[in-house]
Amino acid sequence: MTTESDAQAESQRHASKMAKKKAARDKIMATKEGEKGLIIVHTGPGKGKSSSGFGMILRCIAHGMPCAVVQFIKGAWETGERRLLTENFGDLCQFHAMGEGFTWETQDRARDIAAAKAGWEKAKELIHDPRIRMVLLDEINIALRYDYLELDEVLAFLRAEKPPLTHVVLTGRNAAEGLIEAADLVTEMTLVKHPFRSGIKGQPGVEF
Amino acid sequence: MTTESDAQAESQRHASKMAKKKAARDKIMATKEGEKGLIIVHTGPGKGKSSSGFGMILRCIAHGMPCAVVQFIKGAWETGERRLLTENFGDLCQFHAMGEGFTWETQDRARDIAAAKAGWEKAKELIHDPRIRMVLLDEINIALRYDYLELDEVLAFLRAEKPPLTHVVLTGRNAAEGLIEAADLVTEMTLVKHPFRSGIKGQPGVEF
């Protein structure tokens, strides 16, 4: 049976534990002074790589920070994100769909390479523009994996030409080791359980 | 040296490989007929749990699907997402911030429990509403971990009372084993590298 004094003691223990956590956290936060444009990578076989990229774009828009998206692979899809961003926030967020659908839909390597290279040219232009604070290179890791783009060229550009306060977000599974080394913030999305395995199809709002 | 015929042969090999991939994928997709409201969990110590939840809410809005967000922990923060969603898409997306900041900011267990319980009551009401197609329960895993909410009650409700086509997304690190078992789609965000470790503070657009 819990008495009133038990509950009071539990509350006091909790307050003391949380006060310690807060002190520890405040101490850590006080050392974080730098502001820096980050190279951010979302990779791994799980879900959420692109959608958390779009979540960050949404945050930029909410803060009034100009931003841009280049889609390297899913271009042929009329994705929900694309329509919503261009229709509502076209003044703050540029959207460039360069791919022609997943590579196994096109079966044309030359066309895929041309689309990837055009995407990268657009990406460089956007990253160079100092007004733009975040550039999302959605699914660029796929273009790198198939050698549609040269990793060395991408890394050299990010290292030498990215303005210091610009964030660049690169998504897609199988991120190259060199990209992970160059990045400031890397998250791997791990698949724990997926409904496709139990016969459920991709659904609006969840997959697209 | 690459001759024109080498390039042609490479293109043909590529087209044939991609055609096989497409056939395999089409075969898999043809078996995915079910439409089902999913229980979706984003967990793990990495970034992207909340932001990919917001990315899915954005997709719902883009498809004109009514949706809702209940924030269990970050309520005291004026997050970018909250302002942007309520100002622009209040007709499609309800937003309820129930928490009072991270628990180590408040040091008041009774108040935290009351906030979590109020959040769960609101969540049940939103999930019951058959017009709402997706409900994001942001950081509910934290409330479950501190026993502010009873896991059994949450699981029983999701099992018995969630309408069959409603998606419920539950985020936060340390998702309970029972929740992972009950879920249809689980992604673990793994931290590979984080700039806080090298003295960079949280920045707008990235962390909030």
Side-chain angles (χ1 to χ4, degrees), chain B:
Chain B
M1 207 183 83
T2 306
T3 66
E4 201 172 322
S5 66
D6 280 346
Q8 268 183 350
E10 168 62 19
S11 278
Q12 276 165 10
R13 268 195 303 277
H14 180 79
S16 149
K17 197 170 120 193
M18 289 297 151
K20 272 183 207 149
K21 281 208 181 193
K22 177 166 159 58
R25 182 169 165 270
D26 288 351
K27 195 171 160 190
I28 292 166
M29 295 311 286
T31 66
K32 311 297 173 202
E33 291 184 0
E35 192 161 335
K36 185 191 166 192
L38 303 176
I39 298 175
I40 299 171
V41 174
H42 297 170
T43 192
K47 282 187 57 66
K49 298 183 288 293
S50 292
S51 53
S52 65
F54 280 102
M56 283 198 276
I57 287 290
L58 192 67
R59 286 180 180 159
C60 285
I61 292 170
H63 289 294
M65 293 160 60
C67 52
V69 180
V70 181
Q71 276 195 315
F72 278 84
I73 301 288
K74 288 180 188 163
W77 299 16
E78 175 58 275
T79 61
E81 293 91 337
R82 177 182 176 179
R83 204 171 58 235
L84 180 132
L85 290 177
T86 50
E87 283 176 10
N88 293 278
F89 308 113
D91 51 335
L92 271 176
C93 182
Q94 294 186 47
F95 199 108
H96 302 274
M98 312 303 285
E100 307 212 28
F102 275 112
T103 52
W104 50 85
E105 295 288 347
T106 67
Q107 298 154 40
D108 183 338
R109 184 173 158 86
R111 197 172 58 176
D112 287 349
I113 291 174
K117 286 195 187 301
W120 176 238
E121 289 306 312
K122 179 53 77 178
K124 287 194 286 187
E125 182 192 318
L126 295 164
I127 294 168
H128 267 147
D129 183 340
R131 289 164 304 181
I132 296 179
R133 298 290 309 281
M134 179 180 281
V135 181
L136 169 60
L137 305 180
D138 191 43
E139 301 286 8
I140 191 174
N141 290 339
I142 312 288
L144 288 165
R145 178 176 170 72
Y146 281 102
D147 293 322
Y148 295 169
L149 296 178
E150 280 200 32
L151 179 65
D152 288 348
E153 193 200 320
V154 170
L155 293 181
F157 178 86
L158 291 176
R159 206 172 291 124
E161 303 199 38
K162 183 181 81 60
L165 292 180
T166 302
H167 304 296
V168 178
V169 185
L170 304 96
T171 78
R173 54 173 77 194
N174 300 116
E177 201 47 52
L179 177 60
I180 289 173
E181 273 166 37
D184 302 289
L185 172 55
V186 180
T187 307
E188 170 148 325
M189 276 69 172
T190 309
L191 187 70
V192 179
K193 203 188 244 186
H194 199 293
F196 279 14
R197 297 202 175 144
S198 32
I200 304 296
K201 67 177 184 180
Q203 296 178 85
V206 181
E207 265 84 23
F208 58 89

Side-chain angles (χ1 to χ4, degrees), chain A residues 96-149:
Chain A
H96 302 274
M98 312 303 287
E100 305 212 28
F102 275 110
T103 51
W104 51 86
E105 295 288 348
T106 66
Q107 298 155 38
D108 183 338
R109 185 173 158 86
R111 197 169 60 176
D112 286 350
I113 291 174
K117 288 198 185 299
W120 177 238
E121 289 307 311
K122 177 55 74 177
K124 287 194 286 187
E125 181 192 320
L126 295 165
I127 294 168
H128 267 148
D129 182 341
R131 290 165 302 181
I132 296 178
R133 300 289 308 281
M134 178 180 282
V135 181
L136 168 59
L137 305 180
D138 190 43
E139 301 286 10
I140 191 173
N141 289 340
I142 311 288
L144 288 165
R145 178 174 170 73
Y146 281 102
D147 293 322
Y148 295 169
L149 296 178

